Amino acid sequence: MLKPEHIKAISLDLDDTLWPIWPTIERAERLLHDWLATHAPRTATLYPGPQALRGIRDTVERQRPDLAHDMTALRRESIRLALSQAGDDPQLAGPAFDVFIAERHNVSFFPDALPALASLAARYPLVSLTNGNADIARMGLAPFFAGSVAALQAGFSKPDPRIFHLAAEAVGVQPHEVLHVGDDTHLDVLAARNAGMQAAWVNRKQAPWPHPERPQLEVAHLGELVEALG
Protein backbone atom coordinates (compact mmCIF):
# COMPACT_ATOMS: atom_id res chain seq x y z
CA MET A 1 0.00 0.00 0.00
CA LEU A 2 1.13 3.51 -0.77
CA LYS A 3 2.28 5.56 2.24
CA PRO A 4 1.84 9.19 1.14
CA GLU A 5 3.00 10.49 4.50
CA HIS A 6 6.51 9.16 3.78
CA ILE A 7 6.84 10.91 0.41
CA LYS A 8 9.06 14.00 0.35
CA ALA A 9 9.96 13.93 -3.38
CA ILE A 10 8.91 12.27 -6.61
CA SER A 11 11.12 10.91 -9.36
CA LEU A 12 9.62 10.45 -12.81
CA ASP A 13 10.58 8.38 -15.80
CA LEU A 14 10.19 10.28 -19.09
CA ASP A 15 9.72 8.12 -22.21
CA ASP A 16 6.35 6.34 -22.25
CA THR A 17 5.47 7.95 -18.92
CA LEU A 18 5.09 11.57 -20.03
CA TRP A 19 4.88 10.92 -23.79
CA PRO A 20 4.75 7.89 -26.14
CA ILE A 21 8.30 7.33 -27.35
CA TRP A 22 8.07 5.04 -30.39
CA PRO A 23 6.07 7.34 -32.68
CA THR A 24 8.70 9.98 -31.96
CA ILE A 25 11.65 7.66 -32.60
CA GLU A 26 10.13 6.35 -35.82
CA ARG A 27 9.58 9.88 -37.08
CA ALA A 28 13.13 10.90 -36.12
CA GLU A 29 14.55 7.84 -37.89
CA ARG A 30 12.62 8.69 -41.07
CA LEU A 31 13.98 12.25 -41.02
CA LEU A 32 17.48 10.91 -40.44
CA HIS A 33 17.20 8.62 -43.46
CA ASP A 34 15.84 11.46 -45.59
CA TRP A 35 18.83 13.58 -44.56
CA LEU A 36 21.22 10.78 -45.46
CA ALA A 37 19.56 10.37 -48.86
CA THR A 38 20.50 13.98 -49.61
CA HIS A 39 23.89 14.31 -47.91
CA ALA A 40 25.21 10.70 -47.89
CA PRO A 41 23.36 8.87 -50.70
CA ARG A 42 25.60 5.80 -50.63
CA THR A 43 24.69 5.24 -46.98
CA ALA A 44 21.00 5.69 -47.73
CA THR A 45 21.32 3.13 -50.53
CA LEU A 46 23.23 0.61 -48.41
CA TYR A 47 20.70 1.04 -45.60
CA PRO A 48 17.47 1.55 -47.57
CA GLY A 49 15.17 2.76 -44.84
CA PRO A 50 14.87 3.50 -41.11
CA GLN A 51 14.50 -0.19 -40.25
CA ALA A 52 17.90 -0.97 -41.76
CA LEU A 53 19.48 1.89 -39.82
CA ARG A 54 17.89 0.57 -36.65
CA GLY A 55 19.48 -2.78 -37.41
CA ILE A 56 22.98 -1.33 -37.44
CA ARG A 57 22.21 0.52 -34.23
CA ASP A 58 21.25 -2.80 -32.63
CA THR A 59 24.51 -4.29 -33.91
CA VAL A 60 26.55 -1.50 -32.35
CA GLU A 61 24.66 -1.95 -29.08
CA ARG A 62 25.71 -5.61 -29.00
CA GLN A 63 29.31 -4.83 -29.97
CA ARG A 64 29.73 -1.87 -27.61
CA PRO A 65 28.34 -2.77 -24.18
CA ASP A 66 30.36 0.17 -22.83
CA LEU A 67 27.83 2.45 -24.53
CA ALA A 68 24.74 0.73 -23.10
CA HIS A 69 24.05 3.66 -20.74
CA ASP A 70 24.59 6.37 -23.38
CA MET A 71 21.89 6.49 -26.05
CA THR A 72 23.46 9.56 -27.65
CA ALA A 73 26.88 7.96 -28.14
CA LEU A 74 25.26 4.73 -29.28
CA ARG A 75 23.15 6.42 -31.94
CA ARG A 76 26.02 8.64 -33.15
CA GLU A 77 28.41 5.68 -33.37
CA SER A 78 25.89 3.63 -35.35
CA ILE A 79 25.49 6.49 -37.85
CA ARG A 80 29.28 6.84 -38.12
CA LEU A 81 29.63 3.10 -38.77
CA ALA A 82 26.92 3.16 -41.44
CA LEU A 83 28.63 6.08 -43.19
CA SER A 84 32.01 4.34 -43.06
CA GLN A 85 30.68 1.06 -44.41
CA ALA A 86 29.04 2.86 -47.31
CA GLY A 87 32.14 4.88 -48.19
CA ASP A 88 30.66 8.24 -47.16
CA ASP A 89 32.41 10.73 -44.89
CA PRO A 90 32.11 9.51 -41.26
CA GLN A 91 32.39 13.15 -40.14
CA LEU A 92 28.78 13.51 -41.31
CA ALA A 93 27.73 11.53 -38.25
CA GLY A 94 27.60 14.75 -36.19
CA PRO A 95 25.19 16.75 -38.35
CA ALA A 96 23.19 13.60 -39.12
CA PHE A 97 22.71 12.95 -35.41
CA ASP A 98 21.68 16.58 -34.91
CA VAL A 99 18.77 15.97 -37.29
CA PHE A 100 17.74 12.87 -35.37
CA ILE A 101 17.99 14.35 -31.89
CA ALA A 102 16.09 17.51 -32.81
CA GLU A 103 13.10 15.43 -33.88
CA ARG A 104 13.55 13.07 -30.94
CA HIS A 105 12.68 16.05 -28.72
CA ASN A 106 9.57 16.89 -30.74
CA VAL A 107 7.29 14.79 -28.55
CA SER A 108 3.52 14.76 -28.11
CA PHE A 109 2.74 14.70 -24.39
CA PHE A 110 0.04 12.46 -23.01
CA PRO A 111 -2.96 14.73 -22.24
CA ASP A 112 -2.58 14.19 -18.50
CA ALA A 113 1.18 14.81 -18.34
CA LEU A 114 1.55 18.59 -18.15
CA PRO A 115 -1.41 19.20 -15.78
CA ALA A 116 -0.09 16.47 -13.50
CA LEU A 117 3.45 17.87 -13.54
CA ALA A 118 2.12 21.30 -12.60
CA SER A 119 0.09 19.87 -9.72
CA LEU A 120 2.84 17.61 -8.41
CA ALA A 121 5.56 20.26 -8.71
CA ALA A 122 3.48 22.58 -6.54
CA ARG A 123 3.63 20.02 -3.73
CA TYR A 124 6.86 18.06 -4.12
CA PRO A 125 10.34 18.52 -5.55
CA LEU A 126 10.39 16.52 -8.78
CA VAL A 127 13.42 14.85 -10.38
CA SER A 128 13.50 13.29 -13.83
CA LEU A 129 15.16 9.88 -14.08
CA THR A 130 15.80 8.38 -17.51
CA ASN A 131 17.89 5.84 -19.39
CA GLY A 132 17.27 7.84 -22.56
CA ASN A 133 18.69 11.06 -23.98
CA ALA A 134 15.69 13.35 -23.57
CA ASP A 135 16.67 16.80 -22.28
CA ILE A 136 13.91 18.29 -20.11
CA ALA A 137 15.21 21.83 -20.68
CA ARG A 138 14.99 21.34 -24.45
CA MET A 139 11.36 20.29 -24.02
CA GLY A 140 10.43 23.23 -21.83
CA LEU A 141 9.93 21.01 -18.77
CA ALA A 142 12.76 22.37 -16.61
CA PRO A 143 10.47 24.68 -14.56
CA PHE A 144 8.65 21.62 -13.20
CA PHE A 145 11.79 19.82 -12.02
CA ALA A 146 14.16 20.47 -9.14
CA GLY A 147 16.66 17.91 -10.47
CA SER A 148 17.47 15.68 -13.41
CA VAL A 149 19.37 12.38 -13.59
CA ALA A 150 20.22 10.61 -16.87
CA ALA A 151 22.11 7.39 -17.45
CA LEU A 152 24.39 8.99 -20.04
CA GLN A 153 25.70 11.35 -17.36
CA ALA A 154 25.60 8.95 -14.42
CA GLY A 155 27.55 6.22 -16.20
CA PHE A 156 25.01 3.53 -15.30
CA SER A 157 21.35 3.00 -16.02
CA LYS A 158 18.15 1.63 -14.55
CA PRO A 159 17.70 -0.90 -12.95
CA ASP A 160 21.00 -0.13 -11.15
CA PRO A 161 20.04 1.08 -7.64
CA ARG A 162 22.76 3.72 -7.79
CA ILE A 163 20.90 5.80 -10.35
CA PHE A 164 17.82 5.88 -8.12
CA HIS A 165 19.98 6.93 -5.20
CA LEU A 166 21.39 9.75 -7.35
CA ALA A 167 17.83 10.91 -7.97
CA ALA A 168 17.18 11.06 -4.22
CA GLU A 169 20.44 12.95 -3.68
CA ALA A 170 19.54 15.42 -6.42
CA VAL A 171 16.62 16.70 -4.34
CA GLY A 172 18.20 16.22 -0.93
CA VAL A 173 16.14 13.34 0.45
CA GLN A 174 16.65 9.68 1.34
CA PRO A 175 15.57 6.91 -1.07
CA HIS A 176 12.76 5.76 1.22
CA GLU A 177 11.33 9.28 1.03
CA VAL A 178 10.96 9.13 -2.77
CA LEU A 179 8.04 7.87 -4.84
CA HIS A 180 9.29 6.78 -8.25
CA VAL A 181 6.77 6.91 -11.10
CA GLY A 182 7.23 5.04 -14.36
CA ASP A 183 5.75 2.73 -16.98
CA ASP A 184 8.28 -0.13 -17.03
CA THR A 185 7.53 -2.93 -14.60
CA HIS A 186 11.18 -3.97 -14.29
CA LEU A 187 13.26 -0.84 -14.96
CA ASP A 188 10.98 1.48 -13.02
CA VAL A 189 8.82 -0.35 -10.52
CA LEU A 190 10.89 -3.31 -9.32
CA ALA A 191 14.14 -1.38 -9.64
CA ALA A 192 12.81 1.51 -7.56
CA ARG A 193 11.55 -0.85 -4.89
CA ASN A 194 14.93 -2.62 -4.84
CA ALA A 195 16.54 0.79 -4.35
CA GLY A 196 14.40 1.39 -1.26
CA MET A 197 11.77 3.66 -2.80
CA GLN A 198 8.03 3.43 -3.12
CA ALA A 199 6.90 2.90 -6.70
CA ALA A 200 3.88 3.85 -8.79
CA TRP A 201 3.22 1.97 -12.03
CA VAL A 202 1.70 3.99 -14.86
CA ASN A 203 -0.23 1.28 -16.69
CA ARG A 204 -1.76 3.11 -19.62
CA LYS A 205 -2.47 -0.08 -21.58
CA GLN A 206 -4.20 -1.89 -18.71
CA ALA A 207 -1.68 -4.73 -18.90
CA PRO A 208 -1.63 -7.45 -16.23
CA TRP A 209 1.06 -7.09 -13.58
CA PRO A 210 3.72 -9.75 -14.36
CA HIS A 211 5.74 -10.05 -11.12
CA PRO A 212 5.11 -11.45 -7.61
CA GLU A 213 6.11 -8.18 -5.91
CA ARG A 214 3.65 -5.42 -6.67
CA PRO A 215 3.99 -1.63 -6.82
CA GLN A 216 2.61 0.44 -3.98
CA LEU A 217 0.31 2.12 -6.49
CA GLU A 218 -1.01 1.40 -9.98
CA VAL A 219 -2.60 4.16 -12.07
CA ALA A 220 -3.97 4.33 -15.60
CA HIS A 221 -2.73 7.90 -16.06
CA LEU A 222 -0.98 10.63 -14.10
CA GLY A 223 -4.24 12.30 -13.16
CA GLU A 224 -4.98 9.28 -10.98
CA LEU A 225 -1.58 9.70 -9.33
CA VAL A 226 -2.43 13.29 -8.39
CA GLU A 227 -5.75 12.11 -6.94
CA ALA A 228 -4.10 9.26 -5.01
CA LEU A 229 -1.72 11.71 -3.37
CA GLY A 230 -4.64 13.81 -2.18
Side-chain angles (χ1 to χ4, degrees):
M1 294 291 292
L2 184 71
K3 297 179 179 178
E5 67 275 13
H6 293 176
I7 300 170
K8 293 185 178 180
I10 295 176
S11 61
L12 288 121
D13 173 58
L14 299 177
D15 293 329
D16 283 330
T17 297
L18 299 183
W19 56 78
I21 185 56
W22 279 109
T24 305
I25 293 296
E26 289 169 355
R27 190 173 61 249
E29 289 177 337
R30 287 196 302 271
L31 287 179
L32 169 61
H33 194 270
D34 290 345
W35 188 93
L36 291 171
T38 300
H39 299 278
R42 284 177 290 190
T43 302
T45 299
L46 183 61
Y47 295 96
Q51 196 66 35
L53 287 174
R54 191 179 300 170
I56 195 169
R57 179 202 172 281
D58 293 343
T59 298
V60 172
E61 186 172 17
R62 290 192 297 270
Q63 294 175 345
R64 295 289 305 274
D66 58 305
L67 299 181
H69 65 280
D70 191 338
M71 296 296 103
T72 290
L74 186 63
R75 179 72 67 169
R76 189 182 287 116
E77 176 61 19
S78 68
I79 296 171
R80 188 202 63 78
L81 179 58
L83 290 163
S84 297
Q85 289 183 344
D88 284 320
D89 183 0
Q91 295 298 320
L92 291 173
F97 175 77
D98 290 344
V99 170
F100 172 86
I101 199 65
E103 190 62 25
R104 188 260 187 269
H105 283 88
N106 184 21
V107 302
S108 297
F109 294 100
F110 290 118
D112 53 279
L114 297 181
L117 286 176
S119 178
L120 294 172
R123 300 172 56 196
Y124 303 95
L126 306 183
V127 55
S128 64
L129 179 54
T130 181
N131 282 356
N133 52 7
D135 182 340
I136 58 172
R138 196 164 178 172
M139 294 171 163
L141 297 178
F144 295 120
F145 289 93
S148 176
V149 176
L152 61 89
Q153 297 158 338
F156 37 81
S157 55
K158 297 182 291 186
D160 193 316
R162 293 176 295 173
I163 198 168
F164 290 90
H165 294 164
L166 284 179
E169 291 172 15
V171 286
V173 300
Q174 297 298 312
H176 71 273
E177 296 173 319
V178 177
L179 172 66
H180 179 69
V181 180
D183 70 288
D184 191 286
T185 63
H186 175 58
L187 298 180
D188 288 309
V189 177
L190 295 187
R193 295 206 59 173
N194 289 339
M197 296 179 173
Q198 295 191 73
W201 181 35
V202 184
N203 181 16
R204 296 184 181 276
K205 298 180 179 180
Q206 300 300 294
W209 176 255
H211 307 288
E213 186 178 15
R214 298 194 60 84
Q216 278 86 3
L217 178 67
E218 177 181 337
V219 296
H221 54 78
L222 294 176
E224 288 187 359
L225 172 66
V226 173
E227 293 175 5
L229 293 173

